[in-house]
Amino acid sequence: MKQYINKYYYGDYGEGKNGAADISTSGKTQHEWPLWEVFIRSKQGLDHKHVGSLHAVDAQMAIENARDVYTRRMEGISIWVVESKHIHASNPDDADALYDPANDKAYRHPTFYDLPDELTHI
Amino acid sequence: MEKDMEQMFQERIDKEIRIEPKDWMPEKYRQTLIRQISQHAHSEIIGMLPEGNWITRAPNLRRKAILLAKVQDEAGHGLYLYSAAETLGISRDEMYEQLHSGKAKYSSIFNYPTLSWADMGAIGWLVDGAAIMNQVPLCRTSYGPYARAMVRVCKEESFHQRQGFEILLTLSRGTEAQRRMAQDAINRWWWPSIMMFGPKDDESPNTIQSMKWKIKRFTNDELRQKFVDICAEQIKILNLTIPDPDLKWNETTGHYDFGPINWDEFWQVIAGNGPCNKQRLDARKKAWEDGAWVREAASAHARKRAERLAQKRA
């Protein structure tokens, strides 16, 4: 049985923690501004997509900074920011258990059904 | 057990599966990436200084607006890269401290002075050109956040190189004095740009492992040769010369041969003895220290505002 050891550095920090800055070893990061994840909607009708992160004291500053850092060339028309500590992520080691079952349910896909050729508009 | 995991890690790399922050990775892979990405980020930040020097002295409003936009881009590139490095578990403050203490390096090219306006052209064409040559393969580097940051950087970098070439082209079609200025800038920036690709392959101990992990896709010498080949052609459009008497097309290899590189100078500049090492680091440290009260004030303001908001709700 293969064994994995994971280091949870990014995402999934847990409630009490304060983002990537927390795992610092130097102990000199008490004054660092919180880390925020930035999501941009590139145009009306599309989803917001994660683009990166930045530091800011609060949500307003995070949005203003995100505007300068991530949308200098019309990359977006809407910005979401969320403090990194609030992101919870699935564990890559659970990937098999979480995502594999989909493979053996071929009947979920339309190509599974063998129907006569003369049947149209379906 | 550790070996087993390393083997599985290597198999994923070989299958071109990108590594993401929460995936298991060898400690050495993590450390190599932290070093490379943070050095890269520091280079973008220090790289603002030689050009910032010319914003107030740009020859006209068009050039000034362009230079401002370019320097702002470099700040942005530094931030994309710091953010990518942070996913590996190092904090922003730690990286700053490594830069300010001299523990972390940045590209040695930024320790050269910018003496004339033509230097803005030479930096755009040669320094950004060399940077692009290095950066394009990094868009496919094995670590996901680094690769994604590099895609954004590369999109923006091509404007930098083109505006540089345009500056030199304008000067090259100007007066005799302007032509001399352009040639002088190329003379001073050519060799340091060639050195930007780093030590020769046989003196670059990290290259083999970095290639195996697909952090790097080409060796220093391969990229350097590509760059020389391209520049040797582009210089013809400027009707100026590259300051290398040995630069010559080689029919057999299909590449340009070029003269010996002064590696002693390269190592001296890396060791801190370049023309502007102290000046650059001092400027950076001063900016950080002078900004301390702003960072503290912003934190205090945010804290008070949150407290007021909490009181109102109570």
Side-chain angles (χ1 to χ4, degrees):
Chain A
M1 202 51 205
K2 278 172 179 158
Q3 201 180 27
Y4 299 81
I5 302 165
N6 269 280
K7 296 185 174 177
Y8 296 90
Y9 280 145
Y10 186 71
D12 202 18
Y13 306 118
E15 295 299 331
K17 299 217 173 179
N18 198 15
D22 254 19
I23 59 94
S24 155
T25 49
S26 73
K28 284 181 181 167
T29 57
Q30 295 96 324
H31 301 299
E32 201 172 271
W33 290 348
L35 190 66
W36 299 75
E37 301 301 320
V38 181
F39 301 80
I40 307 263
R41 185 201 294 285
S42 59
K43 67 178 204 191
Q44 210 68 17
L46 296 181
D47 294 325
H48 285 78
K49 199 175 151 199
H50 183 246
V51 292
S53 61
L54 49 75
H55 290 270
V57 285
D58 58 18
Q60 189 192 337
M61 188 196 270
I63 288 178
E64 286 162 7
N65 288 357
R67 183 248 165 238
D68 286 342
V69 178
Y70 292 104
T71 65
R72 285 194 302 283
R73 288 178 176 77
M74 298 175 293
E75 289 93 339
I77 50 132
S78 166
I79 297 171
W80 284 356
V81 292
V82 57
E83 236 189 291
S84 308
K85 67 178 180 188
H86 296 308
I87 304 250
H88 297 264
S90 63
N91 185 337
D93 296 343
D94 296 337
D96 287 352
L98 282 174
Y99 312 117
D100 251 13
N103 276 342
D104 57 12
K105 296 192 175 74
Y107 47 83
R108 280 191 165 143
H109 298 282
T111 46
F112 178 77
Y113 303 92
D114 196 12
L115 298 172
D117 289 346
E118 52 273 30
L119 181 71
T120 54
H121 302 297
I122 187 165
Chain B
M1 201 63 86
E2 181 80 6
K3 192 171 162 66
D4 215 13
M5 283 156 66
E6 287 213 27
Q7 206 176 341
M8 282 175 38
F9 177 81
Q10 189 62 49
E11 281 164 16
R12 299 186 71 189
I13 297 272
D14 294 341
K15 278 192 271 181
E16 297 287 338
I17 296 172
R18 293 287 182 273
I19 307 303
E20 294 295 343
K22 287 182 37 136
D23 296 340
W24 185 90
M25 59 185 85
E27 199 47 35
K28 182 91 193 312
Y29 178 83
R30 180 189 304 280
Q31 292 308 330
T32 303
L33 278 168
I34 287 179
R35 200 190 63 235
Q36 182 170 332
I37 302 172
S38 67
Q39 275 183 12
H40 195 158
H42 298 328
S43 302
E44 298 284 354
I45 298 302
I46 297 288
M48 291 194 281
L49 297 170
E51 289 175 299
N53 187 31
W54 281 90
I55 291 175
T56 55
R57 290 178 280 167
N60 57 44
L61 192 56
R62 175 178 179 270
R63 296 290 184 196
K64 186 191 283 225
I66 292 171
L67 191 56
L68 263 174
K70 177 174 192 275
V71 172
Q72 194 195 13
D73 274 353
E74 272 145 20
H77 296 175
L79 294 175
Y80 303 155
L81 288 161
Y82 280 131
S83 132
E86 279 171 288
T87 65
L88 291 157
I90 186 167
S91 75
R92 186 76 58 100
D93 279 1
E94 276 178 286
M95 285 187 273
Y96 286 160
E97 189 186 295
Q98 289 178 354
L99 172 64
H100 298 160
S101 70
K103 186 183 168 224
K105 302 289 178 209
Y106 53 87
S107 180
S108 58
I109 192 89
F110 301 115
N111 291 315
Y112 290 85
T114 44
L115 304 178
S116 80
W117 170 252
D119 288 23
M120 296 304 98
I123 287 181
W125 177 43
L126 297 173
V127 177
D128 291 312
I132 291 172
M133 195 62 76
N134 262 321
Q135 288 167 356
V136 168
L138 288 175
C139 296
R140 293 187 297 124
T141 195
S142 58
Y143 186 58
Y146 190 23
R148 292 192 286 274
M150 291 318 301
V151 169
R152 271 196 296 277
V153 169
C154 286
K155 269 187 199 159
E156 302 182 353
E157 202 74 54
S158 113
F159 131 61
H160 297 181
Q161 195 189 15
R162 291 172 70 97
Q163 67 87 36
F165 197 86
E166 192 206 52
I167 289 174
L168 292 175
L169 189 64
T170 307
L171 291 171
S172 77
R173 290 171 177 171
T175 64
E176 195 41 46
Q178 285 172 320
R179 285 185 57 78
R180 271 203 306 275
M181 194 164 88
Q183 183 64 60
D184 168 64
I186 293 169
N187 290 351
R188 281 181 292 106
W189 288 96
W190 173 254
W191 289 106
S193 301
I194 293 295
M195 294 175 198
M196 274 177 75
F197 296 94
K200 279 187 295 191
D201 290 349
D202 48 16
E203 284 163 25
S204 174
N206 301 324
T207 293
I208 296 172
Q209 184 62 66
S210 285
M211 299 273 288
K212 195 166 161 239
W213 278 333
K214 302 199 177 177
I215 296 174
K216 282 172 91 158
R217 297 271 174 173
F218 298 98
T219 69
N220 297 352
D221 285 335
E222 284 169 346
L223 291 168
R224 188 174 2 251
Q225 183 66 58
K226 267 195 194 180
F227 180 69
V228 170
D229 289 347
I230 287 173
C231 292
E233 290 298 319
Q234 289 176 341
I235 190 89
K236 293 175 185 169
I237 297 169
L238 295 174
N239 213 4
L240 296 168
T241 51
I242 283 175
D244 179 0
D246 298 323
L247 187 76
K248 203 168 69 232
W249 175 251
N250 184 328
E251 201 71 57
T252 333
T253 60
H255 293 288
Y256 277 87
D257 292 337
F258 55 95
I261 294 166
N262 184 349
W263 290 113
D264 183 48
E265 176 182 322
F266 174 76
W267 294 114
Q268 283 291 335
V269 179
I270 288 205
N273 303 321
C276 299
N277 291 57
K278 189 174 174 332
Q279 195 184 327
R280 300 289 184 239
L281 218 46
D282 285 351
R284 175 59 212 158
K285 279 191 280 199
K286 185 173 184 303
W288 177 247
E289 283 156 17
D290 289 354
W293 72 269
V294 180
R295 294 192 296 277
E296 281 160 29
S299 295
H301 181 62
R303 201 166 50 241
K304 280 182 192 163
R305 200 155 54 178
E307 278 165 14
R308 273 200 301 273
L309 202 67
Q311 270 169 11
K312 226 187 268 178
R313 277 184 189 150

